[in-house]
Amino acid sequence: SGGIIIVSPANPYAAKGLLLSAFRDGNPVIFLEQISAYGKKGEVPSEPYTLPLGEARILREGEDISIITYGAMMVERTLKAAEILGKDGISAEVIDLQTIVPMDREAILYSATKTRRALIVHEAKTKFGVGAEIASMIGNYVSEARRDIKEMSDFFVSTKVLGAKDGPVTAHPALEALRLPQVEDIVAAAKEMMK
């Protein structure tokens, strides 16, 4: 497969494994790092290891809703939100994409069709982005299943994209907190989808 690969590790372990895979891949790789994640603690083996590009990780198994995310900040917030949802009796599956291009279509579709609810959480704005692409992918898959498989004529997966509010990007932490999805926003969006 040719073309640009886009990687977004969520922790130090993933960063090393994906970076070594990027070095070995013949294609150009855009490696998205988050400055806020620098200095984060995490077990990282000293010997070389690689993580497959294009493979998502299921960080938490769940039955009621799939929360699909990527990047250190949103993965951390999503896991915290899933914990809170669990206490309220909502079983959330958390998927860390790790690689945005190529995207792990199988992992996304398997989870979304299992829970029938997909909440996509990212730092970017919601229009014309990764979340819209994932929602479209799920929608197309569901449409094809409904058309081609008689028993699935009433099959449905609800999707929602949660991202940054419209407005300029800012470096000030207080303003950034107003712009980006917080743990409570993820919890509220998931609960809304459960209704």
Side-chain angles (χ1 to χ4, degrees):
S1 69
I4 290 177
I5 291 168
I6 304 173
V7 172
S8 183
N11 55 49
Y13 178 83
K16 179 177 174 177
L18 292 167
L19 190 60
L20 289 177
S21 292
F23 289 149
R24 294 173 184 187
D25 196 274
N27 297 295
V29 179
I30 296 174
F31 203 83
L32 302 175
E33 292 183 319
Q34 283 186 316
I35 295 168
S36 65
Y38 287 177
K40 282 260 158 74
K41 299 272 187 283
E43 286 298 309
V44 180
S46 54
E47 67 276 358
Y49 62 93
T50 58
L51 294 177
L53 299 172
E55 213 169 278
R57 282 181 65 217
I58 296 170
L59 301 179
R60 184 185 171 115
E61 299 262 349
E63 300 302 320
D64 297 325
I65 186 168
S66 304
I67 311 181
I68 301 153
T69 189
Y70 62 89
M73 184 189 292
M74 289 303 131
V75 166
E76 191 179 326
R77 288 179 187 177
T78 300
L79 284 169
K80 282 180 185 161
E83 217 169 284
I84 294 164
L85 289 164
K87 287 177 185 151
D88 291 340
I90 298 167
S91 171
E93 184 148 290
V94 177
I95 296 178
D96 172 12
L97 288 177
Q98 295 197 115
T99 311
I100 299 164
V101 180
M103 199 174 280
D104 192 341
R105 191 171 181 270
E106 285 71 26
I108 292 165
L109 294 176
Y110 179 80
S111 183
T113 54
K114 177 178 79 170
T115 66
R116 296 194 174 205
R117 293 175 191 90
L119 173 61
I120 303 125
V121 180
H122 57 51
E123 281 185 64
K125 291 177 184 172
T126 56
K127 295 179 186 81
F128 312 108
V130 174
E133 192 66 33
I134 294 170
S136 169
M137 178 204 299
I138 294 167
N140 291 339
Y141 180 79
V142 169
S143 294
E144 284 168 24
R146 288 170 69 148
R147 186 192 65 217
D148 300 339
I149 305 164
K150 199 170 65 179
E151 295 79 17
M152 295 182 79
S153 59
D154 61 350
F155 181 66
F156 185 75
V157 176
S158 63
T159 58
K160 179 178 173 58
V161 182
L162 181 64
K165 293 177 182 76
D166 286 333
V169 174
T170 170
H172 194 283
L175 293 174
E176 196 74 329
L178 293 174
R179 202 179 72 85
L180 295 177
Q182 304 297 309
V183 173
E184 54 270 26
D185 300 322
I186 302 168
V187 170
K191 284 184 173 175
E192 185 62 37
M193 290 182 79
M194 290 302 298
K195 285 178 185 169

